[in-house]
Amino acid sequence: MKTHRNTKARFVFLLPAAIWVLTFTIFPLVYSLYISVHKVETKMNVSREKVPMLDASGNPVLDAKGNPRTKIKINREKISTWTNIGFTNFKRLVDDPQVHSAIKVTSIFVLVAVPSQLVLGILLALLFNQRLWARSFLRAVMLLPIFATPLAVGYLFFTIFYEEGGPLGFLGVPFLSNPDWALFSVILVDIWQWTPFCFLVFLAALQGIPNELMEAAKMESKSKWGLFANIIFPMLTPTIVIVLLLRLAEAIKLFDIPFALTGGGPGVATQSMSFLAFRTGLRYFDLGYASAMSYCLLIIVMIIVTLFFRKLRQSYA
Amino acid sequence: MAEVKLRGVKKSFDEVEVIHGVDLEIKDREFVVFVGPSGCGKSTLLRMIAGLEDITAGEIYIGDTYVNDLHPADRGAAMVFQSYALYPHMSVRENIGFGLKLNKVPKAEIQRKVAEAAKILKIEELLDRRPAQLSGGQRQRVAIGRTIVREPSVFLFDEPLSNLDAALRVQMRMELEKLHANLKTTMIYVTHDQVEAMTMADRIFILNDGYVEQVGTPLELYRKPANIFVAGFIGSPKMNFLSVKVLQIEGQQITLQLPGEDQMQLQRENINFKVGDTLTLGIRPEHFELEQTQGYSLSATVDIIERLGNETYIYANDANDNLLTIVGDGELDVSNKEKLKIHFTTDHCHLFGRDDQSIQ
Amino acid sequence: MKPKQNQHPLRYSIYSLIAVVAAMIFFFPIYWAFSTSLRNPLDTFTVSGLGIPFLNFEPTLTNWVDQLATEEARKAVYNSTVIAVFASILALALGIPAAYALARFRFKTISNKDLTIWFLSQRVLPPVATVVPFYLIMQFLNLLDTQLALILINATFVLPFVVVIVRQTFLDLPIELEEAAFMDGARNYGAFLRVALPLAAPAIAATGLIMFAFTWNEFLFAITLSSKEVITIPIHMAGAVDTRGVQFWFMAVRAMIAMIPPVLIALLAQRYIVQGLTLGAVKG
């Protein structure tokens, strides 16, 4: 049965994007798995050769005697050797103190930052759901951090946390020089950037609660707390779960803020898993090991994401 | 030139069958109304003819063309939607001319046809407005204008008047009738309003639960409803139904026990019941008389009186506490709790068997 | 739930005060960057109070002039703009038809719902997982340090957002409008191009802006795939540190240049942020 809903045309609409995603996401992920079971060694072969000098139009430049002038050209050639080493890279992960530290840093970050953002987001949403002076203006101001360039935010807070002469210098807190404080600072910056997002989503959810329901609930429950605990919170729960899972999946990718704010330091105090994988792969060019690391990160995210999509699938029904 | 034929047309939404094998033939230039309660499948059937819903089984022909596999664009039908579905981003002029533009009709001709349609529908001064700036009635006209210019072989109307107020509805009804008289094209009109159906249709198709219950001209349906559903659906106020017991059958002569003490006799050819069966007797409210006539009578106690001015609706309980509706004169002298004798003649009696079908 | 209309005046004042303080906290860092960017380098650490221009120090535009005069800064703005514009256009070009297909057609082998979720799931993957393979692929294709590489990759990463937001927009359009177009003689492409697309235009424009902001802000792939030619604004920012220690005044200017476009976009596209960032799970 052929109709306008299942004509061939539907593939013309869908396939370009589907093929694109397959090519640019699935293929690299599969390739990454291939890389992760290899030891990739990259050597730079530098050779020099004499080549004739050419002028702008491509003719040889002659010296006073009429001989072609030469210059020295440096050829840099990257030579990579790939050795299949099975799961060695994955085994290395288990004993690598850098990896342990990165997992610890990322875990602390996620476990402190994300709940803080959620709680602050809910509190702010409840506050902004009241009648307020200049409410929409204040609400608009609150949204500014959402799309602020994360790297710029990192550098910005670097100037704010600057211990000698920064605006918070009077507190005398070693924001960036003390390893514990440094991680806390990274967390603070992330809270600054992402609380507004949680706030915005929760405010939208709060405003979606039907007025009649609130009126009816007010008749029954006497205290404000009772109203929140018995009506508002249960109504918000699906949204809270979704925001929680989304923020978890995002927070685990932590990269830009420590890159700018602390450079992963002091030492490795703020070196997240993404940061470590990036450094390993693209600064030390241990590509196989970096791939193995990022694959583990991928698996962790996948677990969270699967939970998220189970929720999402319900909300689509 | 287009007749529309449906053969064994079925429709299922996810396993649930909503149209159970409809066969129907609509003649060229006929104005046909699909009527039925909401959810009866009338709109679905119309949308299947339009090509907007796929057909689970059966065949649909428009003219001589088998259209099952044709895109809606290729079926030569035009449609007026309940919501009017005017393109909000186009002016009235562009809305009406859109179909022509798609068919690559030269600009000058589009202009001419749009102007002509606007004249017929008296919307010439609205051509440069956007749909959002129009009233409900004006939108309705634009929606009709959009179909006229395409000169379709079949017009499809999906409850086009249901979003208009009562006065406007009556006016648009008449204009649609005029339009049909002028265009002489096949029109299929879907409504849940039996008044629209009765006033406009050449023939009415009554649908219920995905079945065609009866097909006929408005008066045929009024006079000879084929079953209890049709009898109850056509006519306003609704036909009264009484449970009657068969006391005696002598040839074609049947004696029935009316509520209370009275009995009555009826002639029927098709005796498919026996003594002791309970049948349903249907009498329209307008066929009850309060003044003495020949025929039979029922006693009832007045419960509610509604005075509409030109006529009076009386709701009264019969001996079995069954609520009867009686239509009387506007000035009728009747008071609440009054005991009435309601008279009727056998000419106006409809008898239905246990299968709800009419007994002739 | 709408805000209550009658409220105790005292409570109203207290709540308003808290809200003002909260807004100030979230605004302060941006303000601080603005303030620093207007200071004479010598004043950087010496201003008192909240660093209010004219009150606490004499503002100057030198930092801005100096920064914008450098070729590197102009190159960064140019590259970021080109990459963000083309990545957004590419993502829209691929994503809008797919969104329409998911909203309006029926797929059998894989259901529309699962296809949608498959598209979305691409978004939540950690980008670092594809950094190494992309680096090698781009190296192989000789595309390292080109705008094209970053356009392709950014388009990939923002594509799911386009699918989410635009799909929902199409779903929210009354389907009769497209059906009316069919009855008017339009085919699927006609109904899509002439009816659905123009009606979805505002949402598409907003989506385009959000995609622009995402791409503008992207750092990980930019630093991985570019070295000296295709410097984007975040890379340019990162460059403010190494050379002569930290130059706060330049850093502030660069941070402002980086943040102004996406922050404005956040305000413009407010309505679509909730839906977009929660991948359609919460409606704004």
Side-chain angles (χ1 to χ4, degrees), chain A residues 24, chain C residues 74-88 90 138 142-155 215 218 221-222 225-232:
Chain A
F24 281 87
Chain C
R74 273 182 280 139
K75 217 158 128 184
V77 172
Y78 169 75
N79 281 323
S80 277
T81 310
V82 168
I83 291 166
V85 166
F86 283 97
S88 308
L90 184 55
M138 292 305 169
N142 230 341
L143 286 177
L144 281 181
D145 209 12
T146 61
Q147 290 178 344
L148 182 62
L150 289 177
I151 290 171
L152 295 178
I153 287 171
N154 278 298
T215 310
E218 204 285 324
F221 280 101
L225 301 180
S226 294
S227 43
K228 33 185 199 299
E229 282 310 311
V230 187
I231 289 166
T232 63

Coordinates of all heavy atoms in Angstrom, one line a residue, chain A residues 24, chain C residues 74-88 90 138 142-155 215 218 221-222 225-232:
Chain A
F24 N 30.1 9.9 10.5 CA 30.9 10.8 11.3 C 30.8 10.5 12.8 O 31.5 11.1 13.6 CB 30.5 12.3 11.1 CG 31.0 12.9 9.9 CD1 30.4 12.7 8.6 CD2 32.2 13.5 9.9 CE1 30.9 13.3 7.5 CE2 32.8 14.1 8.7 CZ 32.1 13.9 7.5
Chain C
R74 N 41.7 39.2 14.5 CA 40.7 39.2 13.4 C 40.6 37.9 12.7 O 39.5 37.5 12.3 CB 41.2 40.3 12.4 CG 40.7 41.7 12.8 CD 41.1 42.8 11.9 NE 42.4 43.2 12.1 CZ 43.3 43.4 11.1 NH1 43.0 43.3 9.9 NH2 44.5 43.8 11.4
K75 N 41.7 37.2 12.6 CA 41.6 35.8 12.0 C 40.7 34.9 12.9 O 40.0 34.1 12.3 CB 43.1 35.3 12.0 CG 43.4 34.5 10.8 CD 44.9 34.4 10.6 CE 45.4 33.0 10.5 NZ 46.9 33.0 10.4
A76 N 40.9 35.0 14.2 CA 40.1 34.2 15.1 C 38.6 34.5 14.9 O 37.8 33.5 14.7 CB 40.5 34.4 16.5
V77 N 38.3 35.7 14.9 CA 36.8 36.1 14.7 C 36.4 35.6 13.3 O 35.3 35.0 13.2 CB 36.6 37.6 14.8 CG1 35.2 38.0 14.4 CG2 37.0 38.1 16.2
Y78 N 37.2 35.8 12.3 CA 36.8 35.4 11.0 C 36.6 33.8 10.9 O 35.6 33.3 10.5 CB 37.9 35.8 10.0 CG 37.8 35.2 8.6 CD1 36.8 35.6 7.7 CD2 38.6 34.2 8.2 CE1 36.7 35.1 6.5 CE2 38.5 33.6 6.9 CZ 37.5 34.1 6.1 OH 37.4 33.5 4.8
N79 N 37.6 33.1 11.4 CA 37.5 31.6 11.4 C 36.3 31.1 12.2 O 35.6 30.3 11.7 CB 38.8 31.0 12.0 CG 39.9 31.0 11.0 OD1 39.7 30.8 9.8 ND2 41.1 31.2 11.5
S80 N 36.1 31.7 13.4 CA 35.0 31.2 14.2 C 33.7 31.5 13.5 O 32.8 30.6 13.5 CB 35.0 31.9 15.6 OG 35.9 31.2 16.4
T81 N 33.6 32.7 12.9 CA 32.4 33.0 12.2 C 32.1 32.1 11.0 O 31.0 31.5 10.9 CB 32.4 34.5 11.7 OG1 32.8 35.3 12.8 CG2 31.1 34.9 11.2
V82 N 33.1 31.9 10.2 CA 33.0 31.0 9.0 C 32.6 29.6 9.5 O 31.6 29.0 8.9 CB 34.3 31.0 8.2 CG1 34.2 29.9 7.1 CG2 34.5 32.4 7.5
I83 N 33.3 29.1 10.4 CA 33.1 27.7 10.8 C 31.7 27.6 11.4 O 30.9 26.7 11.1 CB 34.2 27.2 11.8 CG1 35.5 27.1 11.1 CG2 33.8 25.9 12.5 CD1 36.7 27.0 12.1
A84 N 31.3 28.5 12.3 CA 30.0 28.4 13.0 C 28.9 28.6 11.9 O 27.9 27.8 12.0 CB 29.9 29.5 14.1
V85 N 29.0 29.5 11.0 CA 28.0 29.7 10.0 C 27.8 28.5 9.2 O 26.7 28.0 9.0 CB 28.3 31.0 9.2 CG1 27.4 31.0 7.9 CG2 28.1 32.2 10.0
F86 N 28.9 28.0 8.6 CA 28.8 26.9 7.7 C 28.4 25.6 8.4 O 27.6 24.8 7.9 CB 30.0 26.7 6.8 CG 30.1 27.7 5.7 CD1 30.8 28.9 5.9 CD2 29.3 27.5 4.6 CE1 30.8 29.8 4.9 CE2 29.3 28.5 3.6 CZ 30.1 29.7 3.7
A87 N 28.9 25.4 9.6 CA 28.5 24.2 10.4 C 27.0 24.2 10.7 O 26.3 23.2 10.5 CB 29.3 24.0 11.6
S88 N 26.5 25.4 11.0 CA 25.1 25.5 11.3 C 24.2 25.3 10.1 O 23.2 24.5 10.1 CB 24.7 26.9 11.9 OG 25.6 27.2 12.9
L90 N 25.1 23.6 7.4 CA 25.2 22.2 7.0 C 24.3 21.3 7.9 O 23.5 20.4 7.5 CB 26.6 21.7 7.2 CG 27.0 20.3 6.7 CD1 26.5 20.1 5.3 CD2 28.5 20.1 6.8
M138 N 41.5 13.0 9.7 CA 41.7 14.3 9.1 C 43.2 14.4 8.6 O 43.5 15.0 7.6 CB 41.4 15.5 10.1 CG 39.9 15.6 10.4 SD 38.9 15.8 8.9 CE 37.3 15.6 9.6
N142 N 44.4 14.9 4.8 CA 45.1 16.1 4.7 C 44.2 17.3 5.0 O 44.3 18.4 4.4 CB 45.6 16.3 3.2 CG 47.1 16.6 3.2 OD1 47.6 17.1 4.3 ND2 47.8 16.3 2.1
L143 N 43.4 17.2 6.0 CA 42.5 18.3 6.3 C 42.8 18.9 7.7 O 42.0 19.7 8.2 CB 41.0 17.8 6.4 CG 40.4 17.5 5.0 CD1 39.0 16.9 5.2 CD2 40.3 18.8 4.2
L144 N 43.9 18.5 8.3 CA 44.3 19.1 9.5 C 44.5 20.6 9.3 O 45.0 21.0 8.3 CB 45.6 18.5 10.1 CG 45.4 17.1 10.7 CD1 46.8 16.6 11.3 CD2 44.4 17.2 11.9
D145 N 44.1 21.4 10.3 CA 44.3 22.8 10.3 C 43.5 23.4 9.1 O 44.0 24.4 8.5 CB 45.8 23.1 10.2 CG 46.1 24.5 10.8 OD1 45.2 25.0 11.5 OD2 47.2 25.0 10.6
T146 N 42.3 22.9 8.8 CA 41.5 23.6 7.8 C 40.1 23.9 8.4 O 39.7 23.2 9.4 CB 41.2 22.6 6.6 OG1 40.5 21.5 7.1 CG2 42.5 22.3 5.9
Q147 N 39.5 24.9 7.8 CA 38.1 25.2 8.3 C 37.2 24.1 8.0 O 36.3 23.8 8.8 CB 37.6 26.5 7.6 CG 38.3 27.7 8.0 CD 37.8 28.9 7.2 OE1 37.2 28.8 6.2 NE2 38.2 30.1 7.8
L148 N 37.4 23.4 6.9 CA 36.5 22.3 6.5 C 36.4 21.3 7.5 O 35.3 20.8 7.9 CB 37.0 21.7 5.1 CG 36.1 20.6 4.6 CD1 34.7 21.1 4.3 CD2 36.7 20.0 3.3
A149 N 37.5 20.8 8.1 CA 37.5 19.8 9.1 C 36.6 20.2 10.3 O 35.8 19.4 10.7 CB 38.9 19.5 9.6
L150 N 36.8 21.4 10.7 CA 36.0 21.9 11.9 C 34.5 22.0 11.5 O 33.6 21.8 12.4 CB 36.6 23.1 12.5 CG 37.9 22.9 13.2 CD1 38.5 24.2 13.7 CD2 37.7 21.9 14.4
I151 N 34.3 22.5 10.3 CA 32.9 22.6 9.9 C 32.2 21.2 9.9 O 31.1 21.0 10.4 CB 32.8 23.2 8.4 CG1 33.2 24.7 8.5 CG2 31.4 23.1 7.9 CD1 33.4 25.3 7.1
L152 N 32.9 20.2 9.3 CA 32.3 18.9 9.2 C 32.0 18.3 10.6 O 30.9 17.8 10.9 CB 33.2 17.9 8.5 CG 33.5 18.2 7.0 CD1 34.4 17.2 6.4 CD2 32.1 18.2 6.2
I153 N 33.0 18.5 11.5 CA 32.8 17.9 12.9 C 31.8 18.6 13.7 O 30.9 18.0 14.3 CB 34.2 17.8 13.6 CG1 35.0 16.7 12.9 CG2 34.0 17.5 15.0 CD1 36.4 16.7 13.3
N154 N 31.8 19.9 13.6 CA 30.8 20.7 14.4 C 29.4 20.4 13.9 O 28.5 20.3 14.7 CB 31.1 22.2 14.4 CG 32.2 22.5 15.4 OD1 32.0 22.4 16.6 ND2 33.3 23.0 14.9
A155 N 29.3 20.3 12.6 CA 27.9 20.0 12.0 C 27.5 18.7 12.6 O 26.3 18.5 13.0 CB 28.0 20.0 10.5
T215 N 28.8 25.9 18.1 CA 30.0 25.8 17.3 C 31.0 26.8 17.7 O 32.2 26.6 17.8 CB 29.6 25.9 15.8 OG1 28.6 25.0 15.6 CG2 30.8 25.5 15.0
E218 N 32.9 25.8 20.7 CA 33.6 24.5 20.7 C 35.1 24.7 20.8 O 35.7 25.5 20.1 CB 33.3 23.7 19.4 CG 33.4 22.2 19.5 CD 34.8 21.8 19.5 OE1 35.7 22.4 18.8 OE2 35.2 20.8 20.3
F221 N 37.8 20.0 19.8 CA 38.2 19.7 18.4 C 39.0 20.8 17.7 O 39.9 20.5 16.9 CB 36.9 19.3 17.5 CG 36.4 18.0 17.8 CD1 35.3 17.8 18.6 CD2 37.1 16.9 17.3 CE1 34.9 16.5 18.9 CE2 36.6 15.6 17.6 CZ 35.5 15.4 18.4
A222 N 38.7 22.0 18.1 CA 39.5 23.1 17.5 C 40.9 23.0 17.9 O 41.8 23.0 17.0 CB 38.9 24.4 18.0
L225 N 42.5 19.8 16.1 CA 42.6 19.7 14.6 C 43.3 20.9 14.0 O 43.6 20.9 12.8 CB 41.3 19.4 14.0 CG 40.5 18.2 14.4 CD1 39.2 18.0 13.7 CD2 41.4 16.9 14.2
S226 N 43.5 22.0 14.8 CA 44.1 23.1 14.2 C 45.4 23.4 14.9 O 45.5 23.2 16.1 CB 43.1 24.3 14.4 OG 42.0 24.1 13.6
S227 N 46.3 23.9 14.2 CA 47.6 24.3 14.8 C 47.9 25.8 14.7 O 47.8 26.6 15.6 CB 48.7 23.5 14.4 OG 48.7 23.3 13.0
K228 N 48.1 26.3 13.4 CA 48.4 27.7 13.3 C 47.5 28.5 12.4 O 47.2 29.6 12.6 CB 49.8 27.9 12.9 CG 50.4 26.9 12.0 CD 51.9 27.2 11.8 CE 52.4 26.5 10.6 NZ 52.3 25.0 10.6
E229 N 46.9 27.8 11.4 CA 46.1 28.6 10.4 C 44.7 28.9 10.9 O 44.3 30.0 11.0 CB 46.1 27.8 9.1 CG 47.3 27.9 8.2 CD 47.8 29.4 8.1 OE1 46.9 30.2 7.7 OE2 49.0 29.7 8.3
V230 N 44.0 27.8 11.2 CA 42.6 28.0 11.5 C 42.4 28.1 13.0 O 42.0 27.2 13.7 CB 41.8 26.8 11.0 CG1 40.3 27.0 11.2 CG2 42.1 26.6 9.5
I231 N 42.8 29.3 13.5 CA 42.7 29.6 14.9 C 41.3 30.1 15.2 O 40.8 31.0 14.5 CB 43.7 30.7 15.3 CG1 45.1 30.1 15.3 CG2 43.4 31.2 16.7 CD1 46.1 31.1 15.4
T232 N 40.6 29.5 16.1 CA 39.2 29.9 16.4 C 39.3 30.8 17.7 O 40.4 30.9 18.3 CB 38.3 28.8 16.7 OG1 38.7 28.0 17.8 CG2 38.2 27.9 15.5

